[in-house]
Amino acid sequence: MTSHSRKYRRRLHALPAAIALLLFGVLWLFSHTSSAQVLLSAKTIDSWNRDCRHCRIEPHYDVILGEIIRMESRMGRALLSLNVDTEAGRPELSWKWSLDDYPEDVAGTMMRVTVNLASAAQGQTYRVHYVWNPSERTTHREMIDENEYIWVVSGLQQSPQRWYSIKRDVRQDLGRLLEKLPEDVMIVSLETGISEPDGRKVRSAGYIDQITMTYLPEPISLEPVATSD
């Protein structure tokens, strides 16, 4: 009769859990990389609607990043908007942005990415403005109207003329802002550009590079593997 040590038996029992974790990691990586969709770039800018008053929105070439988008508002408004077809789940938005020099005492939103969401079951719409506000700390958030929120993702810690990468799990963020998150909530449209969320005019200029949407996998609950001696 073959006899195995207690340590060896524990390793045998732990093997299924290790395989399950490895499989989860592979599935997560595949899901994360295969569903990415570039919504805004210098090549797709013409598919977005423009609201440009005393402003400039145009493709620009950067020696490091390649083709990017230049936005400039001269006390006006420089906005791009797009209706999107999405589904309920965990959409992650990512982008890079950079601002020109601005006065040290500047206050308010210099650039933003706004996400509009809806829940058919609840009959509700929601707006989350991800903003660059040099006068507020990063992670600052506040409600400005019913179901409308500001979330500072670039703030006091960031400097002009530098690129910053932003990634936001939109569903997770909305869940932090609401008392109860509807299961069917989904993104219906996006905005990006220069202006305050309330529409006030701004003097600002900067660049944005590729708004990309990726569906993150839902968390998988792994049952613990029992071990025995």
Side-chain angles (χ1 to χ4, degrees):
M1 180 178 178
T2 303
S3 176
H4 297 291
S5 67
R6 180 180 300 177
K7 184 176 182 181
Y8 178 77
R9 292 197 301 271
R10 285 178 177 173
R11 287 178 178 175
L12 286 180
H13 286 295
L15 187 59
I19 293 174
L21 287 172
L22 178 60
L23 180 61
F24 170 74
V26 171
L27 291 174
W28 182 92
L29 180 62
F30 177 78
S31 174
H32 190 76
T33 57
S34 63
S35 60
Q37 179 184 5
V38 176
L39 298 176
L40 177 64
S41 70
K43 294 180 180 179
T44 65
I45 189 174
D46 289 337
S47 64
W48 288 61
N49 299 313
R50 299 190 186 207
D51 184 357
C52 192
R53 304 176 186 179
H54 304 292
C55 79
R56 180 181 299 176
I57 303 175
E58 60 186 8
H60 188 85
Y61 185 80
D62 181 85
V63 293
I64 297 177
L65 297 177
E67 292 186 338
I68 56 177
I69 296 173
R70 168 78 175 169
M71 294 185 173
E72 182 178 351
S73 172
R74 300 179 294 277
M75 285 310 294
R77 184 165 55 196
L79 284 178
L80 294 170
S81 61
L82 179 73
N83 294 328
V84 294
D85 293 324
T86 63
E87 57 190 50
R90 290 183 61 199
E92 178 188 77
L93 290 180
S94 60
W95 67 90
K96 296 184 181 71
W97 57 10
S98 174
L99 282 179
D100 291 356
D101 278 324
Y102 47 78
E104 292 185 0
D105 60 347
V106 70
T109 296
M110 304 290 286
M111 188 176 287
R112 64 181 169 93
V113 171
T114 295
V115 185
N116 298 301
L117 307 101
S119 165
Q122 299 295 323
Q124 293 284 352
T125 58
Y126 311 90
R127 285 169 63 83
V128 181
H129 305 280
Y130 296 111
V131 306
W132 188 327
N133 184 340
S135 64
E136 292 284 359
R137 72 184 188 279
T138 302
T139 70
H140 170 79
R141 54 186 186 261
E142 62 181 281
M143 183 174 70
I144 59 174
D145 204 347
E146 183 179 5
N147 293 337
E148 184 173 3
Y149 304 89
I150 288 178
W151 195 309
V152 179
V153 293
S154 294
L156 287 169
Q157 299 92 329
Q158 278 69 50
S159 304
Q161 296 187 330
R162 293 186 60 183
W163 283 97
Y164 295 95
S165 298
I166 310 296
K167 284 188 177 182
R168 304 306 309 182
D169 183 334
V170 179
R171 184 178 177 85
Q172 183 181 75
D173 287 348
L174 190 60
R176 293 174 179 174
L177 297 168
L178 302 176
E179 293 184 1
K180 185 176 181 180
L181 180 69
E183 289 293 330
D184 68 330
V185 70
M186 64 182 65
I187 297 175
V188 294
S189 65
L190 299 173
E191 298 173 13
T192 184
I194 298 170
S195 80
E196 288 278 7
D198 62 6
R200 284 180 293 164
K201 299 175 181 179
V202 175
R203 182 187 296 276
S204 180
Y207 304 88
I208 190 164
D209 179 48
Q210 285 199 354
I211 297 180
T212 301
M213 184 171 65
T214 303
Y215 280 101
L216 300 176
E218 296 293 343
I220 297 176
S221 177
L222 296 175
E223 295 294 332
V225 178
T227 60
S228 61
D229 296 335

